[in-house]
Amino acid sequence: MKEIGHFVGGKNVAGSSGRFGDVFDPNTGEVQAKVALATAKELDHAVQVAKKAQLGWAEKNPQVRARVMMKFVELLNRDKDNLAAMLSSEHGKTIPDAHGDIQRGLEVVEFAIGIPHLLKGEFSVGAGPNIDMYSLRQPLGVVAGITPFNFPAMIPMWKFAPALACGNSYILKPSERDPSVPMRLAELLIEAGLPEGVLNVVNGGKEVVDAILTHPDIQAIGFVGSTPIAEYVYTTGTAHGKRVQAFGGAKNHMIIMPDADMDQAVNALVGAGYGSAGERCMAISVAVPVGKQTADALIEKLIPRVESLRIGPSSDKDADFGPLVTRQHRDKVKDYVDIGIQEGASLLVDGRDFSMQGYENGFFMGGCLFDNVTRDMRIYKEEIFGPVLSVVRAHDYEDAVSLPNDHEYGNGVAIFTRDGDAARDFSTRINVGMVGINVPIPVPLAYHTFGGWKRSGFGDLNQHGPDSIRFYTKTKTVTSRWPSGIKDSAEFVIPTMG
Ligand code: NAD
């Protein structure tokens, strides 16, 4: 059986804890590898390696660091088919979707190539008599990232690419469900010229996460995962003096106005609701048609589309989606469907009994569609993270807007309409971090920033884009005066520019 260890000091190393987690093939349900679960001591060793390597890395000029990112992009493109196959076999998303996962990560590496420009500080000549003042951005030191199972290529790259380009060294703790791609990314970085020890991957679960949160030599932590863990990481990490950004779960609404193009809206809903088996933090899980006529028209078109979703093994490039990540998670999603029925929602399409021929032990389920879901139901309030779409009927526009505004999550939201006034009003008033206007999955591009509001995000700064430079650097301001401007007497009053 394949054993996955850690990546420390530029090479793969075996774990020493003697404890392992199972890495499944979600298509067959079989365990395909064992991943080592690190101890706090193993984490400490990786941090010491990273700390030593960081000094030399930070001293390199920013353009030299950028060139490593440039070469890394080249290698990602060279190896993308292998990476996509590896990713898909552990996660269960289809190969074309796995390519998207790699591509959206790669785009942030491309953004990181331009970071030297964004690291430039500010300069004021003659800020006082013979005084010049300048500010510069310096790396933090050793920083860490803790990432979820659902984007095993994209989210690690969103985190480490800007951090490394800014001159930090990095400890990555990927999800123990699909660790092979993050390990391979670390090898590719070495091939791209990253000095050994600058990026280290430490696999594991709660023990190693807790060790990261409390380690005195880790300066900042970027987390992505479910909301309870995001909140825990944020409160524990900040209590230990670290800079923390922690992104959590979601319940993304799509509002369909009476004037929307219904065919476009249905296409958008089916793709954004069921793509990747709904295991995306930006998946649409709630459709909100405005008015009875809109709702009836939407349901009529949705039912046949959900019934005819094409489910297949992740290697089937024509499948709409593949299996879910684990049996445990698939069963949890099915339990939510049972809960929805008990709560009184109308289950119009039931995918619970779906079985994939030839893959009967795989973690598959079919698409489910609920109508008449209401605000008080658990299936509305909680994140399901599976191929389950809930329709909540709104009386009017104000009723529709109040749904995402009142919801505890605030990651993404979309409105489908042809009315510019409504779209503008919506984008201004909505209490959610990322908004789509006739765009169902409004994931900002690499040079903008990604982040949800309310209980979808803890901390002040977003991921990638300009916020990533702010997050991974600290500002120093230097005031300088040369001898000709220095007075020959002591000054006891605070200097002013009066
Ligand atoms: P998860 O919270 O179970 O795990 C995330 C990370 O935390 C993993 O590395 C895991 O090992 C670690 N972890 C899990 N339990 C822990 C514990 N008790 N103590 C310490 N560490 C722990 O999340 P997941 O199931 O891997 O990913 C799915 C979740 O991630 C969904 O809620 C999804 O919405 C969210 N997500 C959010 C975003 C975003 O940007 N907001 C993006 C992707 C995924």
Side-chain angles (χ1 to χ4, degrees), residues 148 223-232 247-250 332 383 409 455 458:
F223 172 90
V224 179
S226 58
T227 286
I229 312 298
E231 188 169 28
Y232 170 72
F247 298 95
K332 182 177 152 195
E383 182 181 49
Y409 291 121
R455 289 180 63 75
F458 302 84

Side-chain angles (χ1 to χ4, degrees), residues 138-418:
Q138 294 190 313
L140 303 178
V142 181
V143 300
I146 302 160
T147 54
F149 81 82
N150 69 325
F151 281 100
M154 179 184 89
I155 294 179
M157 286 192 262
W158 281 12
K159 304 258 168 229
F160 68 61
L164 295 177
C166 288
N168 300 284
S169 60
Y170 206 87
I171 303 287
L172 173 65
K173 205 304 282 174
S175 169
E176 60 275 44
R177 311 260 172 269
D178 42 18
S180 290
V181 168
M183 291 289 281
R184 182 71 191 127
L185 296 179
E187 289 174 351
L188 289 179
L189 274 168
I190 294 292
E191 193 182 337
L194 189 76
E196 292 174 357
V198 175
L199 179 113
N200 305 280
V201 184
V202 180
N203 284 304
K206 182 167 169 53
E207 180 176 349
V208 69
V209 170
D210 284 345
I212 290 171
L213 299 181
T214 54
H215 199 291
D217 290 327
I218 292 179
Q219 308 302 328
I221 298 167
F223 172 90
V224 179
S226 58
T227 286
I229 312 298
E231 188 169 28
Y232 170 72
V233 164
Y234 183 76
T235 51
T236 313
T238 51
H240 285 82
K242 297 175 200 325
R243 190 179 284 188
V244 183
Q245 54 172 206
F247 298 95
K251 200 80 182 175
N252 305 316
H253 298 62
M254 179 171 136
I255 287 154
I256 301 105
M257 296 292 282
D259 65 351
D261 180 318
M262 195 52 81
D263 290 324
Q264 276 181 8
V266 168
N267 277 332
L269 265 179
V270 172
Y274 299 96
S276 197
E279 292 172 324
R280 290 184 185 138
C281 71
M282 290 293 275
I284 295 288
S285 48
V286 183
V288 186
V290 175
K292 183 172 181 325
Q293 228 180 327
T294 315
D296 292 344
L298 178 75
I299 291 289
E300 194 189 324
K301 284 185 185 270
L302 260 181
I303 291 175
R305 295 293 299 275
V306 180
E307 281 173 342
S308 60
L309 282 167
R310 187 173 164 163
I311 300 153
S314 61
S315 55
D316 176 356
K317 63 178 179 8
D318 295 324
D320 295 326
F321 63 88
L324 281 81
V325 68
T326 57
R327 177 173 290 112
Q328 194 189 12
H329 182 58
R330 194 266 322 266
D331 292 349
K332 182 177 152 195
V333 174
K334 282 189 181 182
D335 287 348
Y336 267 114
V337 181
D338 297 342
I339 292 168
I341 296 167
Q342 286 155 23
E343 287 179 314
S346 325
L347 184 63
L348 303 182
V349 183
D350 183 357
R352 284 173 297 174
D353 290 336
F354 176 86
S355 173
M356 187 73 221
Q357 211 183 351
Y359 297 87
E360 285 75 10
N361 293 323
F363 310 141
F364 291 91
M365 74 175 279
C368 297
L369 176 66
F370 275 114
D371 193 6
N372 299 311
V373 175
T374 53
R375 292 171 190 253
D376 52 324
M377 293 180 183
R378 277 186 63 195
I379 58 162
Y380 174 69
K381 292 195 279 197
E382 298 172 19
E383 182 181 49
I384 299 176
F385 220 56
V388 182
L389 181 67
S390 295
V391 176
V392 180
R393 293 169 174 245
H395 311 298
D396 54 22
Y397 172 69
E398 288 302 327
D399 188 25
V401 169
S402 72
L403 283 157
N405 270 356
D406 294 347
H407 205 283
E408 68 168 326
Y409 291 121
N411 213 39
V413 72
I415 186 168
F416 272 63
T417 182
R418 291 187 240 217

Side-chain angles (χ1 to χ4, degrees), residues 58-90:
E59 276 171 9
K60 291 201 187 299
N61 83 52
Q63 208 154 354
V64 168
R65 295 198 298 260
R67 272 185 211 130
V68 173
M69 295 296 137
M70 217 180 290
K71 181 72 185 169
F72 183 47
V73 168
E74 193 185 312
L75 300 179
L76 288 168
N77 278 316
R78 181 195 72 188
D79 286 5
K80 62 186 175 196
D81 290 342
N82 292 340
L83 286 166
M86 186 187 271
L87 194 161
S88 159
S89 77
E90 289 184 356

